[in-house]
Amino acid sequence: MQVTVDGVAVEVSDGATVLEAARQAGSWVPTLCFDDRQAPFGACRACMVAVDGAAKPVPACTTVCRDGMTVDTNDPTARRVVSAVVELVMSELPSPPAPHTELAQVATRLGVSGSRWPGVTHQVEHDLRHPYLAFEHELCISCGRCVRACDEVQGTFALTAVGRGFGANVAAGIGSGFLDSACVSCGACADTCPTDAITERLLLDGGINGGPPPDAPRLRKRLSTT
Ligand code: SF4
Ligand code: FES
Protein backbone atom coordinates (compact mmCIF):
# COMPACT_ATOMS: atom_id res chain seq x y z
CA MET A 1 0.00 0.00 0.00
CA GLN A 2 1.06 3.60 -0.45
CA VAL A 3 1.41 6.14 2.35
CA THR A 4 2.54 9.75 2.09
CA VAL A 5 4.71 11.07 4.90
CA ASP A 6 5.65 14.76 4.88
CA GLY A 7 4.96 14.85 1.15
CA VAL A 8 7.04 11.75 0.37
CA ALA A 9 5.16 8.73 -1.02
CA VAL A 10 6.37 5.35 0.23
CA GLU A 11 5.27 1.78 -0.35
CA VAL A 12 4.73 -0.15 2.87
CA SER A 13 3.56 -3.66 3.55
CA ASP A 14 0.29 -4.59 5.24
CA GLY A 15 0.54 -4.10 8.98
CA ALA A 16 3.34 -1.53 8.77
CA THR A 17 3.18 1.18 11.40
CA VAL A 18 3.21 4.91 10.78
CA LEU A 19 6.64 4.99 12.44
CA GLU A 20 7.98 2.48 9.93
CA ALA A 21 6.51 4.51 7.05
CA ALA A 22 7.99 7.73 8.44
CA ARG A 23 11.44 6.17 8.73
CA GLN A 24 11.12 4.82 5.22
CA ALA A 25 10.27 8.33 4.03
CA GLY A 26 13.30 9.75 5.83
CA SER A 27 11.27 11.66 8.41
CA TRP A 28 12.31 11.89 12.04
CA VAL A 29 9.80 10.86 14.69
CA PRO A 30 10.97 11.10 18.31
CA THR A 31 10.60 7.90 20.33
CA LEU A 32 11.34 6.93 23.92
CA CYS A 33 9.56 3.66 24.72
CA PHE A 34 10.20 2.21 21.26
CA ASP A 35 13.01 -0.21 20.43
CA ASP A 36 12.80 -1.92 17.07
CA ARG A 37 13.98 -5.18 18.67
CA GLN A 38 10.78 -5.23 20.75
CA ALA A 39 7.05 -5.23 20.04
CA PRO A 40 5.66 -1.64 20.01
CA PHE A 41 4.37 -0.67 23.44
CA GLY A 42 2.81 2.78 22.97
CA ALA A 43 3.50 4.01 26.48
CA CYS A 44 5.42 7.28 26.24
CA ARG A 45 3.52 9.31 23.61
CA ALA A 46 6.74 10.88 22.34
CA CYS A 47 5.98 9.72 18.81
CA MET A 48 2.72 11.61 18.22
CA VAL A 49 2.06 12.66 14.62
CA ALA A 50 -0.90 13.95 12.63
CA VAL A 51 -2.68 11.67 10.16
CA ASP A 52 -5.48 12.66 7.83
CA GLY A 53 -8.93 11.90 9.17
CA ALA A 54 -7.85 11.75 12.84
CA ALA A 55 -9.18 14.48 15.12
CA LYS A 56 -6.10 14.31 17.37
CA PRO A 57 -2.46 13.32 16.99
CA VAL A 58 -1.83 9.56 17.09
CA PRO A 59 1.17 7.53 18.30
CA ALA A 60 3.25 6.59 15.27
CA CYS A 61 4.72 3.45 16.82
CA THR A 62 1.39 1.67 17.37
CA THR A 63 -0.77 3.15 14.58
CA VAL A 64 -1.05 0.86 11.58
CA CYS A 65 -0.93 2.41 8.09
CA ARG A 66 -3.88 2.32 5.74
CA ASP A 67 -3.65 2.69 2.00
CA GLY A 68 -3.61 6.34 0.92
CA MET A 69 -2.89 7.64 4.42
CA THR A 70 -1.25 11.05 4.73
CA VAL A 71 1.05 11.67 7.69
CA ASP A 72 2.49 14.96 8.94
CA THR A 73 5.32 14.42 11.42
CA ASN A 74 5.85 18.18 11.85
CA ASP A 75 2.25 19.02 12.69
CA PRO A 76 2.41 21.90 15.23
CA THR A 77 -0.21 20.40 17.57
CA ALA A 78 1.52 17.01 17.59
CA ARG A 79 4.90 18.65 18.19
CA ARG A 80 3.49 20.70 21.09
CA VAL A 81 2.18 17.50 22.67
CA VAL A 82 5.49 15.70 22.13
CA SER A 83 7.55 18.56 23.57
CA ALA A 84 5.27 18.66 26.63
CA VAL A 85 5.61 14.88 27.04
CA VAL A 86 9.40 15.10 26.96
CA GLU A 87 9.37 18.06 29.32
CA LEU A 88 7.21 16.08 31.75
CA VAL A 89 9.55 13.10 31.51
CA MET A 90 12.55 15.36 32.22
CA SER A 91 10.78 16.71 35.32
CA GLU A 92 11.32 13.32 36.98
CA LEU A 93 15.10 13.46 36.65
CA PRO A 94 17.32 14.99 39.32
CA SER A 95 19.53 16.56 36.63
CA PRO A 96 19.59 16.79 32.83
CA PRO A 97 20.24 13.42 31.16
CA ALA A 98 23.78 12.63 29.98
CA PRO A 99 24.25 14.01 26.45
CA HIS A 100 24.84 10.60 24.84
CA THR A 101 21.52 9.15 26.05
CA GLU A 102 18.52 8.76 23.78
CA LEU A 103 16.44 10.98 26.06
CA ALA A 104 18.97 13.81 25.83
CA GLN A 105 19.19 13.49 22.08
CA VAL A 106 15.41 13.53 21.64
CA ALA A 107 15.11 16.54 23.97
CA THR A 108 17.86 18.45 22.16
CA ARG A 109 16.32 17.83 18.78
CA LEU A 110 12.94 19.04 20.06
CA GLY A 111 14.51 22.10 21.69
CA VAL A 112 13.51 20.95 25.19
CA SER A 113 16.23 21.92 27.65
CA GLY A 114 14.51 21.42 30.99
CA SER A 115 11.09 21.29 32.57
CA ARG A 116 8.71 24.03 33.68
CA TRP A 117 7.04 21.62 36.06
CA PRO A 118 8.43 20.30 39.31
CA GLY A 119 8.39 16.53 39.28
CA VAL A 120 9.03 13.85 41.85
CA THR A 121 12.39 12.11 41.70
CA HIS A 122 12.48 8.43 42.65
CA GLN A 123 13.91 8.03 46.12
CA VAL A 124 15.15 4.47 45.73
CA GLU A 125 18.59 3.42 46.78
CA HIS A 126 20.96 2.64 43.89
CA ASP A 127 21.35 -1.05 43.18
CA LEU A 128 25.11 -1.37 42.97
CA ARG A 129 25.64 -4.88 44.30
CA HIS A 130 25.62 -6.70 40.96
CA PRO A 131 29.07 -7.14 39.38
CA TYR A 132 27.96 -6.19 35.86
CA LEU A 133 24.88 -3.99 36.14
CA ALA A 134 24.12 -0.82 38.08
CA PHE A 135 20.63 0.62 38.55
CA GLU A 136 20.14 4.28 39.41
CA HIS A 137 16.42 4.40 39.91
CA GLU A 138 16.08 8.17 39.87
CA LEU A 139 17.07 8.16 36.19
CA CYS A 140 14.26 5.76 35.26
CA ILE A 141 11.48 7.24 33.12
CA SER A 142 9.35 4.07 33.24
CA CYS A 143 9.52 3.47 29.51
CA GLY A 144 9.41 -0.29 30.14
CA ARG A 145 12.11 -1.11 27.58
CA CYS A 146 14.29 -2.96 30.06
CA VAL A 147 11.38 -5.09 31.24
CA ARG A 148 10.46 -5.97 27.66
CA ALA A 149 14.11 -6.62 26.73
CA CYS A 150 14.37 -9.04 29.62
CA ASP A 151 11.09 -10.75 28.69
CA GLU A 152 11.09 -10.64 24.89
CA VAL A 153 14.78 -10.67 24.01
CA GLN A 154 16.25 -12.75 26.80
CA GLY A 155 13.15 -14.60 28.08
CA THR A 156 14.32 -14.22 31.67
CA PHE A 157 11.55 -12.12 33.30
CA ALA A 158 13.90 -10.77 35.95
CA LEU A 159 12.51 -7.21 35.82
CA THR A 160 9.06 -5.94 36.74
CA ALA A 161 7.32 -2.59 36.31
CA VAL A 162 6.06 -1.39 39.70
CA GLY A 163 4.08 1.60 41.00
CA ARG A 164 2.05 4.22 39.14
CA GLY A 165 2.42 7.82 38.05
CA PHE A 166 5.49 9.53 39.53
CA GLY A 167 5.85 6.40 41.71
CA ALA A 168 6.29 4.14 38.67
CA ASN A 169 9.64 2.39 38.51
CA VAL A 170 11.28 -0.93 37.73
CA ALA A 171 12.30 -3.59 40.21
CA ALA A 172 14.63 -6.54 39.77
CA GLY A 173 13.39 -9.75 41.35
CA ILE A 174 10.88 -9.02 44.07
CA GLY A 175 12.52 -5.72 44.87
CA SER A 176 15.66 -7.53 45.98
CA GLY A 177 17.92 -6.11 43.27
CA PHE A 178 19.72 -7.63 40.29
CA LEU A 179 22.02 -9.83 42.33
CA ASP A 180 19.21 -11.81 43.97
CA SER A 181 16.94 -11.86 40.92
CA ALA A 182 16.77 -14.27 37.97
CA CYS A 183 19.12 -11.92 36.04
CA VAL A 184 21.58 -13.79 33.81
CA SER A 185 23.74 -10.69 33.19
CA CYS A 186 22.95 -10.53 29.47
CA GLY A 187 22.98 -6.71 29.53
CA ALA A 188 19.90 -6.36 27.29
CA CYS A 189 18.31 -4.00 29.83
CA ALA A 190 21.33 -1.69 29.93
CA ASP A 191 21.63 -1.82 26.17
CA THR A 192 18.09 -0.58 25.60
CA CYS A 193 17.76 1.92 28.48
CA PRO A 194 17.30 5.44 26.99
CA THR A 195 18.52 7.25 30.10
CA ASP A 196 21.34 5.12 31.55
CA ALA A 197 19.26 4.31 34.60
CA ILE A 198 20.65 0.82 34.06
CA THR A 199 24.27 0.74 32.97
CA GLU A 200 26.80 -1.98 32.46
CA ARG A 201 29.42 -1.56 35.13
CA LEU A 202 33.03 -1.83 34.32
CA LEU A 203 34.84 -4.24 36.58
CA LEU A 204 37.62 -1.76 37.18
CA ASP A 205 35.09 0.47 38.97
CA GLY A 206 35.41 -1.93 41.87
CA GLY A 207 32.65 -3.09 44.20
CA ILE A 208 33.62 -6.72 43.73
CA ASN A 209 35.42 -8.92 46.19
CA GLY A 210 35.50 -6.16 48.76
CA GLY A 211 36.71 -3.47 46.36
CA PRO A 212 35.53 0.12 46.63
CA PRO A 213 31.89 0.83 45.69
CA PRO A 214 31.36 1.78 42.05
CA ASP A 215 30.98 5.41 41.15
CA ALA A 216 28.00 5.36 38.79
CA PRO A 217 28.08 9.10 37.90
CA ARG A 218 31.73 8.65 36.98
CA LEU A 219 30.79 5.63 34.87
CA ARG A 220 28.14 7.71 33.07
CA LYS A 221 30.67 10.42 32.39
CA ARG A 222 33.08 7.90 31.00
CA LEU A 223 30.44 6.37 28.76
CA SER A 224 29.47 9.82 27.49
CA THR A 225 32.99 10.41 26.27
CA THR A 226 33.29 7.14 24.34
S1 SF4 B 1 15.38 1.48 33.72
FE1 SF4 B 1 15.69 2.48 31.71
S2 SF4 B 1 14.77 1.05 30.21
FE2 SF4 B 1 13.99 0.47 32.24
S3 SF4 B 1 12.02 1.55 32.42
FE3 SF4 B 1 13.61 2.83 33.39
S4 SF4 B 1 14.29 4.22 31.77
FE4 SF4 B 1 13.18 2.56 30.76
S1 FES C 1 7.58 5.67 21.10
FE1 FES C 1 5.49 5.58 20.52
S2 FES C 1 4.42 5.72 22.38
FE2 FES C 1 6.52 5.64 22.98
Side-chain angles (χ1 to χ4, degrees):
M1 71 177 91
Q2 193 175 78
V3 176
T4 303
V5 184
D6 300 336
V8 177
V10 289
E11 286 291 331
V12 296
S13 48
D14 277 357
T17 63
V18 169
L19 179 61
E20 288 171 316
R23 288 181 170 179
Q24 212 172 307
S27 293
W28 179 68
V29 176
T31 57
L32 287 177
C33 72
F34 181 79
D35 180 327
D36 53 20
R37 297 164 292 186
Q38 303 171 6
F41 192 51
C44 72
R45 294 303 194 253
C47 64
M48 303 298 270
V49 295
V51 302
D52 62 309
K56 295 184 289 193
V58 299
C61 70
T62 52
T63 302
V64 174
C65 293
R66 60 180 153 70
D67 193 29
M69 184 185 252
T70 302
V71 180
D72 181 0
T73 67
N74 295 303
D75 174 72
T77 304
R79 272 298 157 92
R80 262 200 311 278
V81 171
V82 170
S83 294
V85 162
V86 172
E87 214 179 312
L88 198 57
V89 163
M90 302 257 281
S91 77
E92 287 190 74
L93 302 186
S95 56
H100 68 277
T101 61
E102 270 185 57
L103 174 59
Q105 286 164 11
V106 164
T108 300
R109 201 151 169 184
L110 290 169
V112 175
S113 56
S115 181
R116 289 165 290 175
W117 308 297
V120 179
T121 299
H122 299 300
Q123 300 294 327
V124 184
E125 204 174 320
H126 292 176
D127 181 3
L128 303 173
R129 290 189 303 135
H130 193 281
Y132 304 119
L133 296 163
F135 196 170
E136 297 174 81
H137 293 80
E138 76 275 17
L139 299 179
C140 177
I141 60 169
S142 306
C143 69
R145 283 167 57 168
C146 56
V147 177
R148 301 197 312 280
C150 195
D151 296 0
E152 296 174 21
V153 180
Q154 185 59 28
T156 299
F157 303 93
L159 299 172
T160 316
V162 294
R164 305 175 66 180
F166 278 123
N169 211 308
V170 166
I174 44 172
S176 49
F178 278 111
L179 197 58
D180 300 318
S181 73
C183 174
V184 294
S185 310
C186 72
C189 52
D191 184 53
T192 192
C193 182
T195 66
D196 271 5
I198 302 177
T199 45
E200 284 192 53
R201 290 175 46 181
L202 303 179
L203 293 178
L204 52 86
D205 272 273
I208 302 161
N209 298 329
D215 181 342
R218 185 157 57 86
L219 173 58
R220 275 210 306 283
K221 188 157 174 266
R222 181 181 320 152
L223 287 170
S224 73
T225 57
T226 57

